[in-house]
Amino acid sequence: MSVIKYIFFFSLVLFCACGESEESQKMRTKAEREKAAAAYRAAMKIGVMPTLDCLPIFLAQDHHLFDTTKVDIRLCFFNAQMDCDTALVGGSVQGCVSDSIRTQRLISKGTQLRYIAPTNTYWQLISNKAARIKELSQLSDKMVAMTRYSATDKLTDRAVEKGKPKYPVFRIQINDVTLRLNMLINNEMDAMWLPEPQATAARLKGNPVLMDSRKENKNWGVLVFRTKDILDARRSQQLDEFIKGYNAACDSINKYGIKNYQDLVVKYMHVDQKTAEKLPQLKFQHASNY
């Protein structure tokens, strides 16, 4: 066989081999995608926000407190509670951290939910220091960022009742908590309701606190799951394992303090190290599949 024929024959064999390899690779990739999709559908998905009430979930996930041999937990990240609630209603997540006003509204509209645990969520009404608002009465003719049909909506009612401003208070719906904080920093909003750690970030920049939801003597934060999902035997077992990991995380935070998990605050809640260092100490309550 001549050298030219040999080279041609070798190239043809190589081309065919590569073609077969590429086809096999496509089939393998498709099978892997289908396997990954099936695993995702079977996993328990939890809707989370970049807020401090989600810290036990972040800790349990990052520190492997969920028994991965028994449960596959996937976190679904949202910046706005409205988007998190939409996922809950549609069933793309089985549970989420929310507030009792929002969840009661979802229940009234037909989404059956089970309350698993109260959370330590609170909001502070913080004014823009440039607006020179130091009293609730000075909210007259001012813009307040909040979320409709939520605890912050009800709290705005209370702020108006207590402050009795002369002129209307304009409620501006800003659902994204990170965007809300940035609007305060950039002097685009007169006042707003912020949870932690965003409230601490705002205070550190010299913005005054007008009202604190903790003084209303009401627990607002909740951890909820879809009743339809957890009535299923497999999902119920997943929930039991989730609760074990969640409660272990609560115990760890309560024992060692939030300061011991500043890295998770910075990683998941989009605030700087200084803010993470200044967070107040909070206690987290156990969840229960009752």
Side-chain angles (χ1 to χ4, degrees):
M1 184 182 295
S2 68
V3 174
I4 295 176
K5 288 182 178 180
Y6 178 81
I7 293 174
F8 175 78
F9 177 76
F10 179 77
S11 299
L12 183 62
V13 172
L14 183 62
F15 174 79
C16 291
C18 289
E20 291 173 356
S21 176
E22 183 178 352
E23 186 63 28
S24 298
Q25 185 178 14
K26 287 181 179 178
M27 292 178 64
R28 186 165 57 252
T29 302
K30 181 180 179 182
E32 289 172 350
R33 285 200 304 267
E34 290 175 349
K35 182 179 179 180
Y40 183 81
R41 287 193 297 270
M44 174 164 276
K45 277 87 61 185
I46 311 295
V48 291
M49 297 269 291
T51 49
L52 202 58
D53 48 2
C54 294
L55 183 59
I57 301 175
F58 295 141
L59 173 57
Q61 186 79 328
D62 266 38
H63 289 219
H64 310 291
L65 300 181
F66 297 129
D67 188 341
T68 55
T69 64
K70 295 181 180 180
V71 63
D72 181 5
I73 301 292
R74 308 287 181 97
L75 304 188
C76 299
F77 297 88
F78 301 93
N79 283 324
Q81 190 62 58
M82 184 173 292
D83 295 334
C84 194
D85 292 346
T86 299
L88 190 67
V89 171
S92 56
V93 300
Q94 281 67 58
C96 77
V97 174
S98 186
D99 74 62
S100 57
I101 304 299
R102 294 196 67 80
T103 53
Q104 284 299 315
R105 184 170 187 270
L106 294 182
I107 291 171
S108 71
K109 288 183 169 293
T111 302
Q112 294 303 306
L113 301 173
R114 181 180 295 181
Y115 290 86
I116 300 302
T119 68
N120 54 20
T121 308
Y122 67 88
W123 292 265
Q124 290 184 327
L125 179 57
I126 299 180
S127 67
N128 186 336
K129 61 183 178 182
R132 299 181 180 179
I133 301 171
K134 296 183 179 180
E135 303 290 339
L136 292 175
S137 60
Q138 295 175 310
L139 289 174
S140 178
D141 205 30
K142 301 298 184 182
M143 297 184 296
V144 175
M146 39 64 74
T147 298
R148 285 187 304 165
Y149 313 122
S150 74
T152 58
D153 202 355
K154 292 293 184 182
L155 287 165
T156 305
D157 289 341
R158 290 288 296 131
V160 172
E161 290 171 8
K162 294 169 73 172
K164 296 180 174 58
K166 183 177 180 180
Y167 299 109
V169 175
F170 299 101
R171 304 181 192 213
I172 310 300
Q173 179 160 303
I174 307 295
N175 297 316
D176 186 317
V177 292
T178 303
L179 174 61
R180 198 183 296 175
L181 173 62
N182 289 336
M183 291 181 75
L184 183 73
I185 294 171
N186 295 326
N187 300 322
E188 297 172 316
M189 193 62 57
D190 297 315
M192 60 185 55
W193 289 101
L194 291 172
E196 294 292 3
Q198 291 78 19
T200 293
R203 292 195 308 273
L204 288 176
K205 291 187 178 296
N207 297 294
V209 177
L210 305 180
M211 184 174 164
D212 192 316
S213 70
R214 289 173 292 185
K215 294 183 180 180
E216 296 302 305
N217 298 316
K218 179 177 176 60
N219 181 75
W220 303 90
V222 291
L223 173 60
V224 297
F225 279 77
R226 286 166 51 90
T227 304
K228 180 180 178 180
D229 286 342
I230 59 178
L231 287 178
D232 174 79
R234 180 176 60 84
R235 289 294 191 194
S236 182
Q237 183 180 13
Q238 288 179 322
L239 178 60
D240 288 339
E241 295 301 324
F242 168 83
I243 288 173
K244 289 178 184 177
Y246 180 88
N247 289 347
C250 289
D251 291 340
S252 186
I253 298 169
N254 292 340
K255 180 177 181 180
Y256 298 108
I258 292 174
K259 63 182 180 181
N260 198 57
Y261 301 107
Q262 294 174 13
D263 58 326
L264 295 179
V265 174
V266 173
K267 178 180 178 180
Y268 287 111
M269 303 177 202
H270 319 312
V271 293
D272 57 24
Q273 185 64 40
K274 183 179 179 181
T275 299
E277 291 172 356
K278 295 295 184 178
L279 288 173
Q281 176 56 33
L282 301 175
K283 294 294 183 180
F284 290 83
Q285 297 184 52
H286 278 192
S288 174
N289 186 8
Y290 49 83

